[in-house]
Amino acid sequence: MEHRDTPSEDSSVEQVLAHVRERIINGEFAPSSKLLPKVIAEACGTSFIPVREALRVLESEGFVTFVHNRGAWVTPLSLDDLDDLYTIRIELECEAVRRAVPFANEEIRRLEQLLERADIANRTGDRATVIELNRELHLSIYGNAGSPRRMKLIEQLWLHSARYQRLSLLYRHDAADAEHRLILECLARRDQKAAAKALKAHLETTVRLLREGIESSRSSGTLPRAAQLLDA
């Protein structure tokens, strides 16, 4: 007879998934660090089985890499991966903006309020909130494209992007406020084509500044600790 997971087993796997994925994204589990199943199981109050299954799911998502006879490791960050990730994001997200239905005035105002909150968080050094509000802003815009499948793909890419966004804030002290406002100005006048162009420039600038900042820091020997685990 085929074995089926009980609801409690399913919930344990989801609990471990959320626990590990969140810590990989926020940097608590650093890039290229080894994941210790015993420690994870103890933290989540589960057996090894849910941990093993969760790590395999995270491997399929690209967050975890298994090394033969060496266990599970957090997938490293790299400049090549940064370029690849943002190239795909630009294609998916700019098309979503071009396809977005016009925003009502109250919708534009809500997006502007997100920017205002992000600006306050940035000035007080609350990087986690900046990243959260940045995600809400972008995904709110893309949601108007009316494509659930495209949104699912974008959301998956954003999970990986969050690891790079944490680094970008070391070099983007304005949190891209002016670029975001330009996008909203285009949307407010219902010029989706111009908004997509502004978005493309914004994403390309993020990659360029992060790459230049890391390369400059490396050459001067002042690379921030958070960026030292990023592969060349």
Side-chain angles (χ1 to χ4, degrees):
M1 179 179 295
E2 181 182 358
H3 170 72
R4 294 185 181 277
D5 291 335
T6 64
S8 60
E9 289 174 326
D10 289 342
S11 63
S12 293
V13 173
E14 290 300 322
Q15 177 189 355
V16 176
L17 263 175
H19 175 85
V20 178
R21 188 191 289 119
E22 178 183 356
R23 283 156 180 77
I24 291 175
I25 290 173
N26 69 22
E28 184 175 337
F29 291 167
S32 301
S33 64
K34 186 172 184 177
L35 295 168
L36 304 175
K38 181 179 179 180
V39 174
I40 294 171
E42 290 175 350
C44 295
T46 67
S47 67
F48 285 116
I49 294 176
V51 174
R52 183 180 62 205
E53 294 182 6
L55 291 178
R56 287 300 180 185
V57 173
L58 291 167
E59 180 189 30
S60 72
E61 293 178 350
F63 288 107
V64 169
T65 301
F66 278 88
V67 179
H68 183 60
N69 291 331
R70 295 186 61 204
W73 298 71
V74 177
T75 300
L77 300 177
S78 72
L79 293 178
D80 285 344
D81 181 57
L82 170 70
D83 288 337
D84 192 34
L85 177 61
Y86 272 75
T87 295
I88 299 170
R89 278 190 55 194
I90 287 170
E91 292 177 1
L92 286 172
E93 295 174 27
C94 289
E95 183 61 21
V97 171
R98 283 189 287 267
R99 294 184 177 208
V101 299
F103 289 80
N105 291 336
E106 57 269 23
E107 291 176 312
I108 293 294
R109 181 55 190 153
R110 187 182 73 82
L111 296 176
E112 290 173 341
Q113 290 172 344
L114 291 177
L115 280 184
E116 292 165 4
R117 290 167 57 195
D119 180 57
I120 293 172
N122 185 56
R123 285 190 277 110
T124 58
D126 187 354
R127 293 174 180 169
T129 297
V130 171
I131 292 173
E132 178 184 344
L133 292 171
N134 181 52
R135 181 180 186 276
E136 184 177 352
L137 172 73
H138 279 261
L139 296 187
S140 295
I141 294 172
Y142 308 148
N144 266 30
S147 174
R149 188 178 296 277
R150 181 183 296 271
M151 279 298 297
K152 185 174 182 178
L153 292 172
I154 290 173
E155 288 170 354
Q156 290 171 345
L157 292 173
W158 266 76
L159 289 175
H160 290 275
S161 293
R163 299 209 289 164
Y164 291 102
Q165 288 166 3
R166 287 177 53 251
L167 292 178
S168 74
L169 291 177
L170 298 175
Y171 303 99
R172 298 215 64 170
H173 304 300
D174 63 346
D177 182 71
E179 294 163 24
H180 285 138
R181 291 190 183 280
L182 177 58
I183 294 169
L184 294 191
E185 287 172 10
C186 295
L187 292 175
R189 64 174 187 263
R190 303 194 171 191
D191 190 344
Q192 263 65 346
K193 185 177 180 179
K197 183 178 179 180
L199 172 63
K200 183 174 185 290
H202 160 55
L203 295 177
E204 289 175 339
T205 298
T206 297
V207 173
R208 177 177 57 78
L209 291 178
L210 180 52
R211 176 179 280 277
E212 290 177 353
I214 289 172
E215 292 174 345
S216 175
S217 297
R218 277 180 174 156
S219 64
S220 63
T222 59
L223 189 65
R225 185 176 183 277
Q228 289 174 3
L229 295 173
L230 192 146
D231 292 347

